[in-house]
Amino acid sequence: AFRILLNVLPILRATKNVQEVEFEKGAHITVCGDIHGQYYDLLNIFALNGTPSPQNPFLFNGDFVDRGSFSVECILTLFAWKVLYPNAVYMSRGNHESKHLNTMYGFAGEVKAKYNEKMFALFGEVFNALPLATLINKKVFCVHGGLFSKDNVTIDDIQKIDRFRELPDEGLMCEMLWSDPQASMGRAPSKRGVALQFGPDVTKRFLEQNNLQLLVRSHE
């Protein structure tokens, strides 16, 4: 397990904040939302869709750990696939890839019970290296949470973020991992108490400004 983390860390560190994925016409990718330590659900996804390979790529869009009882098994499985097929398994950070939430929602205790404190610290370092979003064929923007408290945010702005740190309580990095959509136009305070809710008009402007066609998010 320790070796898996050491091997995946340089792969993630070399990835841009917004990792760009290109597929030829007719190819496909499976995008998966929150796993949250549900190892048997993860195995079921592979049973239904096949295991990852260059011909069968996957994007896991954050929140791999916490809540469920098998977070260690889930994250090590995904990292092992990432080491085996760096260009067939893509992973973006969720708000639960955070030391603070890991301490509150179970992952810290699970790692310390199954391994030790040193292992949990290494997981934190790896989580801080995860990309913040994924851009598929320059048209589909995949992010764990959502959009921002201000307009005119570009992909280039996101690429300039210093992501190699614990998740902050405000700013672009916080908002894209914590925000939620709402049915009404405009923006509103988040019911989660962090980041914001954003309406369809906010999404439309973001897509138009960045020449995108679709926003894909998880966080549910």
Side-chain angles (χ1 to χ4, degrees):
F2 198 74
R3 179 59 60 186
I4 291 172
L5 295 185
L6 292 179
N7 285 344
V8 80
L9 184 55
I11 297 173
L12 297 176
R13 280 178 171 165
T15 305
K16 294 180 179 179
N17 288 350
V18 181
Q19 56 190 339
E20 299 183 26
V21 182
E22 296 282 344
F23 294 108
E24 296 180 357
K25 188 175 181 179
H28 72 278
I29 183 171
T30 300
V31 180
C32 300
D34 302 20
I35 300 294
H36 273 313
Q38 300 296 329
Y39 184 61
Y40 294 100
D41 288 353
L42 177 61
L43 295 183
N44 192 48
I45 289 171
F46 291 150
L48 292 172
N49 282 49
T51 53
S53 71
Q55 294 74 40
N56 190 37
F58 282 77
L59 166 61
F60 293 92
N61 203 32
D63 279 15
F64 319 112
V65 301
D66 283 336
R67 302 189 190 280
S69 301
F70 302 100
S71 293
V72 166
E73 290 78 4
C74 286
I75 192 63
L76 289 177
T77 297
L78 295 178
F79 282 158
W81 280 112
K82 180 66 178 175
V83 171
L84 181 62
Y85 293 127
N87 296 316
V89 174
Y90 300 93
M91 302 173 70
S92 295
R93 190 174 184 175
N95 61 306
H96 276 266
E97 279 67 64
S98 153
K99 187 180 297 184
H100 175 64
L101 289 190
N102 292 162
T103 301
M104 292 177 60
Y105 289 96
F107 184 59
E110 183 184 341
V111 174
K112 293 171 187 177
K114 293 176 178 178
Y115 295 99
N116 51 45
E117 181 77 38
K118 183 178 180 181
M119 193 72 164
F120 179 61
L122 182 55
F123 268 114
E125 187 175 353
V126 177
F127 287 167
N128 288 349
L130 285 163
L132 303 179
T134 305
L135 185 61
I136 301 175
N137 283 3
K138 300 188 186 304
K139 291 297 180 183
V140 180
F141 184 74
C142 303
V143 66
H144 179 73
L147 298 180
F148 309 100
S149 58
K150 61 181 181 180
D151 288 332
N152 303 318
V153 175
T154 66
I155 301 298
D156 285 343
D157 292 331
I158 301 171
Q159 298 288 28
K160 294 173 184 175
I161 295 171
D162 174 17
R163 78 173 191 267
F164 298 98
R165 55 189 171 127
E166 182 62 16
L167 189 59
D169 295 328
E170 58 184 10
L172 298 184
M173 183 171 164
C174 169
E175 290 170 355
M176 61 195 301
L177 270 60
W178 273 99
S179 294
D180 292 290
Q182 63 180 18
S184 56
M185 297 294 186
R187 295 177 172 90
S190 173
K191 295 175 182 177
R192 300 176 189 266
V194 183
L196 70 146
Q197 296 180 179
F198 59 96
D201 56 327
V202 176
T203 302
K204 184 173 185 289
R205 290 194 297 270
F206 176 79
L207 294 177
E208 288 176 348
Q209 179 164 14
N210 288 281
N211 194 27
L212 302 169
Q213 294 178 350
L214 182 66
L215 170 67
V216 176
R217 49 92 61 184
S218 309
H219 199 36
E220 299 294 340

